Amino acid sequence: MLKLFRGLKPFTIPIAFILVLVAGQAVAELYLPTLMSDIVDLGIVRGDTAYIFRVGGLMLLVALVDMGFALVTAFLSARVSMGFGRDLRRMVFTHVEGFSLHEFDIIGTPSLITRTTNDITQVQMFTMMLMRMFVMAPIMAVGGVFMAWQKDAKLTWVLAVVIPVIVAVVALTATRAMPMFRAIQARIDRINLVLREGLTGVRVVRAFNRVEHETRRFDAANRDLTAMSISVNKLMALMMPVMMLLMNLTTIAIVWFGARRIDLGEMQVGSLMAFIQYAIQILFSLLMVSFLFIMLPRASASSVRINEVMDLAPGIRDAAGARTADQERGHIEFRNVTFAYPGAEEPAVRDISFNAKPGEVTAIIGGTGSGKSTLVNLIPRFYDVASGSIRVDDVDIREMPQEALRGKLGFVPQKAVLFNDTIANNIRYGREDATDEEVAHAAETAQALQFIRAMPDGFQSMIAQGGMNLSGGQKQRLAIARALVRKPEICIFDDTFSALDFKTDARLRAALKRETADSTVIIVAQRVNTVMDADRIIVLDDGRVVGAGPHRELIRTCDVYREIVSSQLSEEELA
Ligand code: ADP
Ligand code: MG
């Protein structure tokens, strides 16, 4: 938690202001019972009306100051803690943006979402309480004991008995609540996960009639959270009456023993009243501390979770003395590349070697799960290779700045991702300064112009969240346009053409050929049609290269390729 509190630095001045005001507030509140006892003991007893009015006026003034301070601190502490929360969210988000896919796999997207929202809110709320009570409670407790002792030293033993009891109650509750709050945060994660799957996969859920199953799953997660929250709240609910009981018992004890002292003429009535008020103030300040202790476990559980995110260093970082090479443009070379996903026993791709040169089309074909996506995901360094190396323009990509590497790439992922923005802006995501003509040209090449024109607002049409208002093929074509608008040295299409009909596929590839004549093009595909006229076809099977070469050669030499071909093309086409 302390680590996170470093983020409070920009708020030093308002915080100092708050602390001073809170201290003033505490002093004012400690002063009030003394004034009151003076009125009773010195004013009423003697029948001195002028004195009563004078001290009464002072009391009113002190009370007003107290209220003013309270208002200002409430306002300031709310502002500071909200600002702090905003900064924390920004910090976490910026950090997470630097993650490679590996780190996303480790924490999980739903948990990342909870951590940036709910967990930060916990810390933010705790900060607010802390600012208001952290200074207030000790001053009230210590000052209260001191003032009570001043009023009547002999009665203070009552406090000496009560205070340790209360401290024990608070400590006991806090230690029991701590693990429960940690569990609550984990269960909120779980709800998020189930909810996310249920919502993003809603079509699958409907289609397979699994609504009930999903509902049950959500119900279970929901009930888990509820049960845990109820146990925590039971604990907390118990604490309040216990504290009240202790407070009332204390009052009774003070009145009981104080009354005797008054009988003996050793104490005055006003002092007894003041003493009771001080006792209440002391207990209230302990109650405040107990609130802090109640919130502390939750906030600290949350801050641990936030720190976990912050401590997770992006596994893929720019090497010191990063090199860029410019003698060639877009030459890719795989040298004995092997890669396994974290936690997987078998490598997803192994011992891959090939060259892809500018002006050439390299196609990668293979069954599902053969490692095609894995292979191309290694090029932008979404993951780092386990052994071997990938070189772009004769420099190991691990030695290049990531920006320089990715600046060379136009990457179209297997699953098209679009943003909730206009079509034009989605294409311009590839290159911010692209002109309208360039955007339109990229769309034309990607064979997207026709359907964009047919939309009510053309390029200014909005894309719904997740691209719901577009078909799979339309999304793919926009993603292609986005890559093309960069005019990249290296174009990578991961299974981008399978959602297109044969005619569009053919037209798109013809247009691409003109557009990317000087670029290195890597096309991942499952259809033979798509790869047939590539300069080089790499056949993957179970993560290994089982054949490489042009179509005519592979037909003769590679069994796996011949199998794929014969399953897709008729005899005439083969000949
Ligand atoms: P393809 O694109 O050829 O269909 P992939 O490259 O997506 O195949 O997958 C290759 C293998 O790697 C599969 O066995 C798959 O289960 C595994 N795999 C893919 N992505 C991940 C991941 N993020 N974590 C672990 N294993 C994965
Ligand atoms: Mg794939």
Side-chain angles (χ1 to χ4, degrees):
M1 180 109 62
L2 287 177
K3 210 162 126 194
L4 288 183
F5 280 164
R6 270 190 238 137
L8 281 171
K9 227 178 235 161
F11 303 104
T12 316
I13 294 170
I15 289 177
F17 203 62
I18 292 170
L19 296 187
V20 170
L21 286 187
V22 165
Q25 205 187 334
V27 170
E29 278 178 28
L30 283 174
Y31 194 32
L32 284 174
T34 298
L35 286 175
M36 184 202 61
S37 81
D38 282 353
I39 290 181
V40 175
D41 293 346
L42 301 176
I44 296 181
V45 172
R46 288 193 212 142
D48 187 343
T49 321
Y51 181 83
I52 295 176
F53 272 108
R54 218 175 49 240
V55 181
L58 185 60
M59 258 184 99
L60 200 63
L61 196 74
V62 173
L64 282 177
V65 168
D66 180 30
M67 207 169 76
F69 281 10
L71 278 175
V72 177
T73 45
F75 175 74
L76 276 183
S77 58
R79 284 203 64 142
V80 168
S81 57
M82 294 301 147
F84 177 51
R86 174 201 58 208
D87 291 354
L88 278 185
R89 276 188 290 273
R90 184 188 301 146
M91 180 180 83
V92 173
F93 182 75
T94 318
H95 185 69
V96 168
E97 287 280 282
F99 279 0
S100 75
L101 296 187
H102 176 66
E103 281 84 47
F104 279 98
D105 290 349
I106 292 178
I107 295 192
T109 313
S111 184
L112 274 176
I113 293 174
T114 324
R115 288 172 202 227
T116 355
T117 51
N118 187 300
D119 281 315
I120 289 184
T121 309
Q122 300 299 337
V123 173
Q124 173 185 314
M125 260 163 37
F126 180 73
T127 313
M128 179 152 85
M129 297 275 280
L130 194 63
M131 280 187 292
R132 294 171 66 173
M133 297 181 172
F134 175 63
V135 172
M136 185 81 155
I139 296 183
M140 294 290 281
V142 177
V145 172
F146 179 74
M147 296 297 272
W149 183 68
Q150 288 268 298
K151 280 288 152 204
D152 196 295
K154 289 236 173 80
L155 262 187
T156 357
W157 69 265
V158 177
L159 298 178
V161 173
V162 179
I163 292 175
V165 175
I166 291 187
V167 169
V169 171
V170 169
L172 204 72
T173 322
T175 43
R176 291 213 30 206
M178 184 100 71
M180 291 190 185
F181 278 119
R182 208 163 285 149
I184 284 189
Q185 295 309 102
R187 287 173 195 204
I188 292 178
D189 269 0
R190 170 87 194 142
I191 287 217
N192 260 331
L193 174 104
V194 176
L195 196 59
R196 234 176 87 92
E197 284 184 355
L199 292 183
T200 50
V202 68
R203 289 172 194 181
V204 180
V205 174
R206 296 265 159 83
F208 287 91
N209 271 328
R210 300 293 276 180
V211 176
E212 219 169 281
H213 170 82
E214 282 301 307
T215 312
R216 264 203 309 274
R217 221 157 70 102
F218 183 77
D219 236 26
N222 199 5
R223 220 168 288 162
D224 268 357
L225 175 65
T226 311
M228 190 44 85
S229 305
I230 288 178
S231 359
V232 165
N233 277 307
K234 269 188 196 151
L235 190 65
M236 293 305 159
L238 190 67
M239 183 146 155
M240 214 41 202
V242 168
M243 289 301 257
M244 278 321 228
L245 185 69
L246 284 172
M247 208 180 286
N248 289 330
L249 285 178
T250 313
T251 313
I252 292 173
I254 292 172
V255 172
W256 178 270
F257 294 105
R260 286 195 185 172
R261 289 179 57 73
I262 291 176
D263 265 356
L264 294 173
E266 287 171 356
M267 195 182 187
Q268 286 184 293
V269 178
S271 298
L272 179 66
M273 289 167 67
F275 198 95
I276 293 176
Q277 292 224 352
Y278 284 127
I280 291 178
Q281 282 183 349
I282 294 165
L283 298 197
F284 251 113
S285 66
L286 290 178
L287 200 62
M288 276 199 274
V289 175
S290 78
F291 273 131
L292 274 186
F293 271 105
I294 291 173
M295 293 188 75
L296 177 68
R298 191 160 194 189
S300 82
S302 286
S303 61
V304 166
R305 286 158 49 88
I306 298 167
N307 279 326
E308 269 169 17
V309 178
M310 295 306 296
D311 291 344
L312 200 59
I316 295 185
R317 277 217 228 139
D318 290 347
R323 305 199 293 150
T324 41
D326 271 320
Q327 66 271 38
E328 277 180 293
R329 294 176 53 81
H331 179 183
I332 302 178
E333 185 185 359
F334 273 62
R335 282 190 193 164
N336 307 97
V337 170
T338 297
F339 168 77
Y341 283 103
E345 285 167 23
E346 293 279 300
V349 292
R350 63 182 93 196
D351 204 22
I352 308 272
S353 299
F354 68 88
N355 271 288
K357 299 202 185 75
E360 288 182 357
V361 176
T362 303
I364 300 171
I365 196 167
T368 38
S370 56
K372 307 183 296 293
S373 295
T374 306
L375 192 144
V376 291
N377 280 340
L378 292 174
I379 302 174
R381 273 189 93 194
F382 290 155
Y383 295 97
D384 264 343
V385 300
S387 68
S389 66
I390 301 173
R391 304 173 76 84
V392 169
D393 294 343
D394 217 22
V395 176
D396 191 319
I397 57 172
R398 283 168 294 188
E399 288 167 13
M400 259 186 214
Q402 289 171 66
E403 278 213 46
L405 170 65
R406 291 176 189 159
K408 289 173 182 285
L409 301 178
F411 190 88
V412 188
Q414 178 161 14
K415 188 164 178 277
V417 175
L418 298 175
F419 298 93
N420 183 201
D421 202 339
T422 60
I423 289 195
N425 283 343
N426 263 286
I427 296 177
R428 206 167 269 132
Y429 202 86
R431 189 158 58 89
E432 264 171 85
D433 57 359
T435 61
D436 287 345
E437 288 75 47
E438 286 171 317
V439 169
H441 182 70
E444 191 182 356
T445 312
Q447 307 299 310
L449 207 50
Q450 209 176 359
F451 80 83
I452 295 175
R453 288 261 161 82
M455 293 181 85
D457 298 317
F459 276 96
Q460 295 312 313
S461 311
M462 287 301 285
I463 291 180
Q465 200 176 4
M468 289 292 202
N469 54 347
L470 295 175
S471 79
Q474 288 171 335
K475 276 192 276 193
Q476 284 292 21
R477 277 176 276 171
L478 288 185
I480 294 171
R482 177 173 63 199
L484 289 178
V485 84
R486 296 177 80 115
K487 301 205 168 66
E489 295 167 27
I490 301 167
C491 281
I492 301 171
F493 303 96
D494 186 359
D495 229 341
T496 321
F497 304 105
S498 30
L500 306 178
D501 56 87
F502 282 89
K503 230 165 74 190
T504 316
D505 180 2
R507 253 187 302 162
L508 175 53
R509 272 183 298 111
L512 265 183
K513 208 172 217 165
R514 288 194 300 274
E515 221 33 57
T516 59
D518 304 324
S519 313
T520 309
V521 178
I522 296 187
I523 295 180
V524 170
Q526 311 208 25
R527 288 209 296 248
V528 176
N529 273 316
T530 316
V531 303
M532 235 158 61
D533 40 357
D535 297 290
R536 184 182 311 98
I537 303 170
I538 292 166
V539 187
L540 276 189
D541 187 31
D542 202 15
R544 283 173 225 269
V545 177
V546 291
H551 176 74
R552 299 200 160 280
E553 190 183 310
L554 283 177
I555 280 269
R556 278 184 286 110
T557 56
C558 179
D559 293 339
V560 178
Y561 187 71
R562 202 163 30 220
E563 223 168 84
I564 299 174
V565 168
S566 61
S567 71
Q568 292 185 13
L569 300 185
S570 60
E571 288 299 323
E572 309 88 271
E573 279 172 305
L574 268 178

